[in-house]
Amino acid sequence: MTSSSSSAVLVALLLVPLVGAIVVAALRGNDRLAKLVALGISIVEFALAIVSWAAYDAGGARLQQAFSMDWIPSFGVHLSFGVDGIALVMIAVIALLVPLVIGSSWLEKLPEGRSAGGFLGLILVEQALTIGVFAATDVFVFYVLFEIMLIPMYFLIGSYGGANRQYAAVKFFLYSFLGGMIMLASVIALYVQAGNALGKGTFDWATLVTVVHHAPLSTQIWLFLGFFAAFAIKAPLVPLHTWLPDAAAEAPIGVAVLIVGVLDKVGTFGFLRYCLPMFPDASRKLAPLVLVLAAAGVLYGSLLATGQRDMKRFIAYVSIAHFGFIALGIFSFSSQAMTGSVSYMINHSISTGMLIIVIGMVIARGGSTRIADYGGMAKLTPLLAGLFLLAGLSSLSLPGTNSFISEFLVLIGSYPNAPVYTIIATVGMILAALYILWLYQRVFTGPVRGDALMQFDGPGATIAPETGARRAIRDLTGREIGVLVPLVVLVIGLGLYPKPVLDVVTPTVNATMTSVGVGDPVTVQEGH
Amino acid sequence: MMNLSEGAESVVAASGSLGGAWLVVLLPAIGALVLLAGGKRTNAWGHLLGCATVIAAFVYGVVMFFASTGLDAGQRVQNLHIYDWIPVNALQVDFGFRVDPLSLTFVLLITGVGSLIHIYSIGYMAEDRDRRRFFGYLNLFVASMLVLVLGNSFVTLYLGWEGVGLASYLLIGWYQDRPSAATAAKKAFLMNRVGDVGLALAIFILFQQLGTTQYTEVFAAVGDGRLSSGTLLAVTILLLLGACGKSGQFPLQAWLPDAMEGPTPVSALIHAATMVTAGVYLIARSNPIYSASPDGRLIVVIIGAITLLIGCVIGCAYDDIKKVLAYSTVSQIGYMILAVGLGPIGYGLGILHLLTHGFFKAGLFLGAGSVMHAMNDEVDMRKFGGLWKKMRITFATFTCGYLALIGFPLLSGYWSKDAIIEAAFSQGGWRGWVFGGAAMLGVALTAFYMTRLMFMTFFGEKRWEKLKSTDGREFHPHEAPAVMTIPMIILAVGSLGAGAYLAINHTLVDWLSPTLGELSEAHDSPFSTPVLTTISIALMVIGVGLAWLLVGRKPVPVEKPERVSFPVRAARRDLYGNALNEVLVARPGTWLTRFLVFLDNRGVDGAVNGIAAVFGGGSGRLRRLQTGFVRSYALTMLAGSILVLAALLMVRFS
């Protein structure tokens, strides 16, 4: 076992939520205590993530805070973990989201017979596994965690979700599992490749990167496609996206945040960590294909979002459009676009996470996910309306918000190599304004209306004389404000000062570009 | 001080009071933050804070102005680096400001007119429960607009550009109860975004070609001839698209009249005096690019000429006082766009007209607001009439604005508009006749629609005496309180004198020359200046006379006549601009979306379920997989194993 002092932080990041999950699951009799303990653990985890960030040296080694121990010696499998700039920021964003998810799920009505302990325990397990996926530096460990990660999520959707939850959970599982199986084929073939080249098989990522790119193009293409299939389902890219609207619609709000904010990013992370550096020739060869899917995804997701009647399905299609931007930035091969994609990954978690959370607050008040059941809500809940709008503006990448930085970097960086796809995606900016502002208009402006706000609810409910709405519709509570404030600060803070993120991400992106064997289309000019 | 560039312009690092330019942005930004985040606690004093921050910014703007006039012309373009905003390898976007005569001129306009309108709003919004939030939005607007004009790169400009778009969206939709306000707000934002795509693509091209988005470096590179003429043309057209969106120019003009759904001070500040002129600023700021592309400039001039006529024609047909003024704004910005499209002879003239227009149009809107305030928020001029006796200050100040707008000799509009017409004629050949002629025709039409507005509002029969407003109240017109009339009086003084002050001896144009270059004198005009002025005055008199013949000497029917000629019908329907958008964009878009939603539910999903059926034995059994889990797991494992085998075989044989 090799380790350094800072690797202890990474070990703790992996173990704290796992141990915490066991404790929380044991508290199934006492919901309140289970929630408090889970929140406490998630806050400790967040503090650890900050320590890990502080210990990371942006100009240092490719993989830092690394440690490794034998797992299956006969196959050369090691339990090895470490972080680069991309994994670091992704782990930080997971650690940020989980306490907010717990806070926003505080009053979640779980189905009959389910306890908060079980629900939050599963969330913490999922957190540990996704951090493991981002931190794994052994391809076999990555694969195993990639698959195991499905199991808690399968139960989070299938046991705690809405009316159609079982269908959604199975669909989610089948899609992801199928992708995983295809990837397994490539993982095994990688091992064989390494064996041929080195005389001894290995799953060590850093070693594989130096070996596989010597393989002929046709081999690279098949191996690439194996990984790509799994990641494109996860991300998801059109036309492999149809599991996401069902999963997002049926999952509880907090779980939807994790699916869209964290789980999906494993796919785009996979492109960056596995597809590009391990199969550089195939990546360059197949990039046009991915760019087509990316640009199509931007338009398709945006148009579908404008046509949705259900708020949670709406979010899913918005995310599909955003994943189009991320894929565009990754496969157009410039450091600006790729850095933009990585920052898009975290900014999307922040702004779409915030949008899902505020939509959850709307749903918690009206009891319906149908857009048509609401109207004129700004009059009843001005603060909720304002924060909904801010989340929406961040989702449509308004300059001054975090998402602008990433979308701008993706587009300006993609333009030199992929002008046509960039222009198509830029047109997506107009559609983004349309779907966000139209949703806001329908739910929040005009006279108070809609069944969710106007109908009687039980014997005690009375009607407010001035608006005609149920009295029970109140503006944000202290808990809800507490959940949203960190997100508001990040939306504006990272919009005006994104340098801390860019400085960490850019060196890793540069290293990735080097391993793909491509240079920036636009280089520093003389006279700077 | 050191020179940052050896190009055509000299840029020095900011120092002294100009180095504190960030302060003018920070003040209103803090105001917005306190008022929006502070909530109801700030209700009592929010409007005062809102005014104070903008007035303080104005005062600092004046300090900077005098500091700058004290410098040599070569030292007046200063660059202020604040921090690295978006640094990724070759792309280095500063958060920084360019403090130069052009940006300082705008700082004074924005904070000066902004202060007056903030003060006016204290009275105008006195009855509104959310007045504090209104001032928060106004402060947000002022801060964003200052970033727009002060930014030292195309990206900082873009930051302010969309920031003012947001403020405009929030303020157009201010009266949230009205569905029409929400629709207008969304329409404004969307049509602006269409323009923004142009601006964004222009920025992408500049980065691709030059590796920078900073003004100093871009302009120096353009000066060195590093852009091909094709690239230059593309950039000029894309920037123009952005300008058309923000400034309500053809073909993106349809949002601006709808924007009148917002409270009238908003119409005055954002949708007349400042934000909608950002397109003119953009082209003037990019003058090194436009100067290098004659074809690009020609397109700008064509757009300006078309828009100025569209605005005039539609303005003649509307009965809504604010919409007439809105189309007047569209038309006047058309003049400015035409001017800056003329190149070195026009940049300064466009800015001159922008400033004089800022005074008289803001004054006209505030006057209209005062009339509405007196008339229970009524905007239909057919219900007005004879108001001059009831509100004499409003009438007097409005008349000043009116005379300035139609180009009455020696008042503001006369100086700036006649100069543009003369410059347009001096293009020579067919261009001179076409563009000069369009600008001339506009003079007569402007005089007509504004005189019609004056007659219908202030003169003739008091039609409101026999009517009630839509909420059933009687009309009791009265003069507005001093907090509203004083800003109107100040703007009226500006309408009278600003043009002469700025135009005589080329005061403004000389001041702007470090940014916009020296004014080249008009030449090659078919008319001498006195002849041109005489024709222009004659056309103005004809317009006024026609308005008297057709409107002034007859009683105005309260109901809008429906049996009217085709041109009037077309003008009432915005020359079918909205209908065209509907047919070309909105409806096909809706159909496409419906089709795709159908496809996604049935088609794509169906196909994938079909594949799942192959593996799982029918999509109907998907649900039952819960029970038969282990079996299907095994089945999938089998499928996976087959693939593993295939992969292994493939590796061996390749």
Side-chain angles (χ1 to χ4, degrees):
Chain A
M1 177 170 171
T2 59
S3 72
S4 68
S5 62
S6 61
S7 59
V9 181
L10 189 58
V11 177
L13 273 167
L14 290 164
L15 292 183
V16 164
L18 213 53
V19 174
I22 296 166
V23 175
V24 171
L27 292 171
R28 264 181 297 187
N30 187 340
D31 276 2
R32 186 174 164 72
L33 188 61
K35 286 178 198 171
L36 285 172
V37 171
L39 184 65
I41 288 163
S42 67
I43 290 172
V44 169
E45 181 77 353
F46 179 62
L48 284 170
I50 290 176
V51 173
S52 165
W53 189 311
Y56 185 83
D57 173 15
R62 180 77 164 85
L63 294 170
Q64 301 183 22
Q65 304 172 18
F67 79 94
S68 178
M69 56 188 274
D70 282 349
W71 185 22
I72 313 173
S74 53
F75 286 110
V77 178
H78 299 273
L79 271 180
S80 42
F81 297 93
V83 291
D84 60 6
I86 302 173
L88 180 81
V89 293
M90 286 314 301
I91 290 170
V93 100
I94 301 168
L96 169 80
L97 281 182
V98 171
L100 300 178
V101 162
I102 294 173
S104 69
S105 310
W106 205 257
L107 299 178
E108 181 87 31
K109 284 198 199 80
L110 299 174
E112 201 67 34
R114 311 278 183 206
S115 70
F119 179 67
L120 297 175
L122 282 172
I123 285 181
L124 289 176
V125 173
E126 187 68 29
Q127 180 179 23
L129 292 174
T130 38
I131 289 178
V133 165
F134 286 114
T137 54
D138 181 288
V139 180
F140 190 79
V141 174
F142 170 79
Y143 167 74
V144 169
L145 290 171
F146 184 89
E147 293 285 42
I148 296 179
M149 188 176 73
L150 299 177
I151 294 166
M153 190 48 78
Y154 175 76
F155 287 109
L156 280 169
I157 300 170
S159 303
Y160 297 90
N164 240 342
R165 57 184 184 243
Q166 298 199 341
Y167 170 74
V170 171
K171 193 169 173 181
F172 160 79
F173 192 89
L174 274 186
Y175 263 84
S176 300
F177 189 74
L178 193 67
M181 290 309 293
I182 299 171
M183 182 166 82
L184 176 61
S186 277
V187 169
I188 293 169
L190 267 182
Y191 183 81
V192 175
Q193 277 288 323
N196 290 347
L198 303 170
K200 179 167 90 63
T202 179
F203 287 108
D204 179 47
W205 178 82
T207 312
L208 286 171
V209 167
T210 61
V211 171
V212 189
H213 69 267
H214 295 304
L217 180 64
S218 59
T219 312
Q220 278 194 36
I221 285 179
W222 283 108
L223 295 176
F224 174 95
L225 287 175
F227 278 89
F228 183 79
F231 298 147
I233 288 173
K234 194 66 89 186
L237 296 186
V238 173
L240 302 172
H241 63 280
T242 62
W243 65 270
L244 181 61
D246 285 316
E250 297 303 328
I253 286 292
V255 176
V257 173
L258 291 181
I259 294 175
V260 174
V262 176
L263 213 66
D264 287 359
K265 306 294 161 37
V266 174
T268 47
F269 174 80
F271 294 151
L272 287 161
R273 175 64 83 71
Y274 296 94
C275 289
L276 297 192
M278 290 203 298
F279 321 113
D281 300 331
S283 297
R284 289 198 305 273
K285 183 86 182 168
L286 295 177
L289 186 78
V290 187
L291 292 175
V292 170
L293 294 182
V298 170
L299 289 188
Y300 191 83
S302 303
L303 284 171
L304 268 284
T306 60
Q308 293 306 308
R309 300 193 175 122
D310 179 288
M311 291 190 224
K312 287 164 91 182
R313 294 184 78 86
F314 167 87
I315 285 289
Y317 286 102
V318 170
S319 295
I320 289 164
H322 287 166
F323 279 101
F325 280 103
I326 298 175
L328 172 68
I330 292 173
F331 283 91
S332 56
F333 301 136
S334 81
S335 63
Q336 287 83 22
M338 211 180 278
T339 304
S341 286
V342 177
S343 70
Y344 213 124
M345 283 158 64
I346 65 167
N347 285 327
H348 177 263
S349 297
I350 292 166
S351 54
T352 311
M354 180 171 168
L355 194 58
I356 301 175
I357 290 173
V358 284
I359 282 179
M361 291 169 181
V362 171
I363 295 169
R365 281 162 176 73
S368 163
T369 61
R370 268 166 48 90
I371 297 166
D373 284 344
Y374 298 87
M377 213 171 156
K379 222 171 185 176
L380 307 173
T381 59
L383 191 55
L384 174 57
L387 290 173
F388 184 104
L389 189 61
L390 182 65
L393 293 170
S394 172
S395 280
L396 65 80
S397 298
L398 188 85
T401 66
N402 56 342
S403 308
F404 168 71
I405 305 297
S406 22
E407 195 161 304
F408 175 74
L409 278 172
V410 164
L411 293 172
I412 200 169
S414 299
Y415 184 80
N417 281 336
V420 174
Y421 302 115
T422 307
I423 291 170
I424 293 171
T426 309
V427 171
M429 276 176 31
I430 304 171
L431 295 172
L434 175 64
Y435 60 67
I436 292 288
L437 296 182
W438 197 29
L439 178 68
Y440 180 79
Q441 184 184 349
R442 284 183 288 175
V443 174
F444 287 99
T445 68
V448 179
R449 61 194 184 279
D451 286 354
L453 305 181
M454 307 301 278
Q455 294 295 314
F456 277 95
D457 183 26
T462 54
I463 298 283
E466 64 272 22
T467 58
R470 292 188 318 195
R471 282 198 190 279
I473 310 284
R474 298 211 190 280
D475 212 343
L476 296 182
T477 64
R479 172 184 62 86
E480 289 171 324
I481 293 172
V483 168
L484 292 176
V485 162
L487 292 168
V488 171
V489 169
L490 285 173
V491 162
I492 295 170
L494 291 180
L496 294 177
Y497 194 61
K499 200 166 179 292
V501 172
L502 301 179
D503 282 353
V504 166
V505 170
T506 306
T508 303
V509 162
N510 290 341
T512 307
M513 295 269 296
T514 309
S515 42
V516 185
V518 288
D520 260 335
V522 177
T523 50
V524 179
Q525 304 282 316
E526 278 175 46
H528 272 244
Chain B
M1 291 188 203
M2 87 184 166
N3 270 321
L4 294 180
S5 102
E6 299 296 321
E9 47 168 17
S10 75
V11 181
V12 297
S15 60
S17 60
L18 301 189
W22 49 271
L23 198 60
V24 293
V25 176
L26 194 65
L27 282 164
I30 288 175
L33 187 69
V34 170
L35 294 179
L36 295 178
K40 293 189 187 116
R41 272 157 298 201
T42 60
N43 271 357
W45 42 269
H47 54 285
L48 298 178
L49 177 73
C51 292
T53 57
V54 179
I55 293 169
F58 175 69
V59 169
Y60 196 75
V62 172
V63 170
M64 290 200 297
F65 172 76
F66 282 111
S68 183
T69 49
L71 297 170
D72 292 342
Q75 302 288 322
R76 283 188 192 155
V77 181
Q78 303 203 348
N79 186 59
L80 174 63
H81 171 85
I82 301 174
Y83 63 85
D84 293 340
W85 184 25
I86 315 179
V88 178
N89 295 338
L91 178 69
Q92 295 289 333
V93 179
D94 273 9
F95 192 93
F97 293 153
R98 161 174 283 218
V99 190
D100 70 353
L102 184 63
S103 61
L104 282 176
T105 304
F106 272 86
V107 167
L108 292 182
L109 173 75
I110 295 158
T111 55
V113 176
S115 297
L116 292 176
I117 289 172
H118 272 69
I119 293 167
Y120 175 93
S121 301
I122 294 178
Y124 192 87
M125 301 300 286
E127 311 286 308
D128 201 305
R129 279 195 315 161
D130 288 326
R131 182 170 67 172
R132 179 258 326 159
R133 191 158 51 89
F134 180 83
F135 276 88
Y137 291 168
L138 278 188
N139 269 204
L140 174 67
F141 167 76
V142 170
S144 307
M145 188 74 200
L146 290 170
V147 170
L148 193 165
V149 298
L150 279 168
N152 67 354
S153 77
F154 284 97
V155 187
T156 31
L157 173 127
Y158 192 75
L159 170 69
W161 191 266
E162 292 231 355
V164 293
L166 168 65
S168 164
Y169 167 81
L170 293 169
L171 287 163
I172 295 170
W174 178 256
Y175 297 117
Q176 288 190 330
D177 279 3
R178 295 188 204 155
S180 57
T183 305
K186 186 185 68 193
K187 181 177 178 181
F189 199 93
L190 279 176
M191 294 193 84
N192 268 289
R193 271 247 155 168
V194 175
D196 294 350
V197 166
L199 179 53
L201 289 174
I203 296 172
F204 302 161
I205 292 177
L206 289 174
F207 174 68
Q208 179 203 24
Q209 297 287 326
L210 306 173
T212 178
T213 60
Q214 302 294 122
Y215 291 147
T216 309
E217 292 157 7
V218 169
F219 297 156
V222 171
D224 294 345
R226 280 180 50 203
L227 291 183
S228 70
S229 61
T231 308
L232 277 169
L233 182 61
V235 171
T236 53
I237 292 173
L238 288 166
L239 290 176
L240 176 64
L241 180 62
C244 287
K246 197 55 83 195
S247 294
Q249 299 294 290
F250 176 80
L252 298 176
Q253 79 282 9
W255 68 269
L256 184 53
D258 290 15
M260 298 299 124
E261 289 285 344
T264 306
V266 171
S267 311
L269 178 61
I270 301 184
H271 303 120
T274 56
M275 183 190 86
V276 289
T277 60
V280 182
Y281 169 81
L282 175 64
I283 294 174
R285 171 57 78 200
S286 312
N287 68 79
I289 300 176
Y290 280 92
S291 293
S293 178
D295 294 340
R297 287 208 309 277
L298 177 62
I299 297 169
V300 175
V301 174
I302 292 172
I303 293 292
I306 292 174
T307 313
L308 84 87
L309 289 177
I310 287 179
C312 286
V313 168
I314 301 177
C316 293
Y318 264 96
D319 297 326
D320 177 327
I321 186 169
K322 281 182 74 180
K323 292 215 169 171
V324 173
L325 291 177
Y327 272 112
S328 167
T329 304
V330 168
S331 159
Q332 295 301 308
I333 297 172
Y335 275 102
M336 301 171 208
I337 293 282
L338 187 153
V340 292
L342 296 173
I345 64 165
Y347 298 130
L349 299 178
I351 301 299
L352 174 65
H353 194 53
L354 190 156
L355 293 178
T356 58
H357 176 259
F359 280 108
F360 59 67
K361 189 53 70 59
L364 287 169
F365 266 110
L366 294 191
S370 174
V371 169
M372 288 165 60
H373 197 69
M375 296 289 291
N376 306 348
D377 286 332
E378 183 57 61
V379 290
D380 185 354
M381 297 189 294
R382 293 186 180 277
K383 297 182 181 166
F384 297 166
L387 286 174
W388 72 273
K389 260 190 174 166
K390 295 283 176 185
M391 16 193 354
R392 290 176 189 247
I393 301 176
T394 301
F395 171 66
T397 58
F398 200 95
T399 305
C400 294
Y402 156 74
L403 292 172
L405 170 55
I406 65 171
F408 193 83
L410 307 182
L411 302 189
S412 281
Y414 164 84
W415 297 101
S416 51
K417 201 190 291 180
D418 273 19
I420 292 174
I421 295 169
E422 194 178 343
F425 268 113
S426 75
Q427 291 288 288
W430 65 270
R431 291 184 187 182
W433 284 101
V434 170
F435 302 134
M440 260 318 188
L441 182 59
V443 172
L445 289 168
T446 307
F448 175 81
Y449 70 71
M450 281 309 294
T451 310
R452 174 174 174 269
L453 182 150
M454 289 298 287
F455 278 130
M456 288 176 78
T457 304
F458 291 105
F459 296 104
E461 191 193 351
K462 294 171 183 159
R463 296 179 294 278
W464 43 269
E465 280 181 337
K466 303 189 195 78
L467 299 168
K468 286 185 176 169
S469 57
T470 38
D471 53 3
R473 288 182 293 159
E474 290 184 5
F475 292 111
H476 295 290
H478 51 273
E479 188 53 88
V483 72
M484 291 169 67
T485 52
I486 290 170
M488 286 155 60
I489 292 167
I490 297 173
L491 288 170
V493 171
S495 309
L496 297 177
Y501 173 74
L502 295 170
I504 294 175
N505 293 331
H506 300 309
T507 310
L508 179 79
V509 175
D510 286 346
W511 153 246
L512 290 173
S513 61
T515 309
L516 301 179
E518 299 296 328
L519 179 74
S520 38
E521 285 296 323
H523 53 87
D524 201 18
S525 172
F527 305 110
S528 67
T529 307
V531 175
L532 212 59
T533 307
T534 313
I535 299 176
S536 166
I537 292 173
L539 282 169
M540 182 195 80
V541 172
I542 290 172
V544 173
L546 274 175
W548 182 77
L549 274 175
L550 296 174
V551 182
R553 69 194 177 108
K554 297 189 281 196
V556 176
V558 173
E559 291 302 321
K560 188 162 75 170
E562 294 301 331
R563 293 171 56 85
V564 290
S565 60
F566 172 74
V568 178
R569 258 182 293 148
R572 278 184 185 170
R573 301 201 52 198
D574 307 279
L575 299 181
Y576 304 106
N578 285 319
L580 216 60
N581 288 342
E582 177 77 22
V583 172
L584 293 182
V585 182
R587 261 186 239 158
T590 315
W591 290 332
L592 177 64
T593 303
R594 279 192 201 145
F595 170 71
L596 287 179
V597 170
F598 173 82
L599 194 77
D600 200 66
N601 289 340
R602 304 285 149 73
V604 178
D605 210 13
V608 176
N609 281 344
I611 295 167
V614 175
F615 283 99
S619 61
R621 281 160 76 178
L622 265 176
R623 283 158 207 267
R624 275 185 277 146
L625 280 173
Q626 285 295 93
T627 49
F629 190 78
V630 174
R631 198 178 58 188
S632 70
Y633 188 93
L635 201 62
T636 327
M637 271 299 256
L638 180 66
S641 310
I642 293 166
L643 285 163
V644 173
L645 194 65
L648 284 174
L649 285 173
M650 183 266 306
V651 172
R652 284 281 152 78
F653 288 104
S654 56

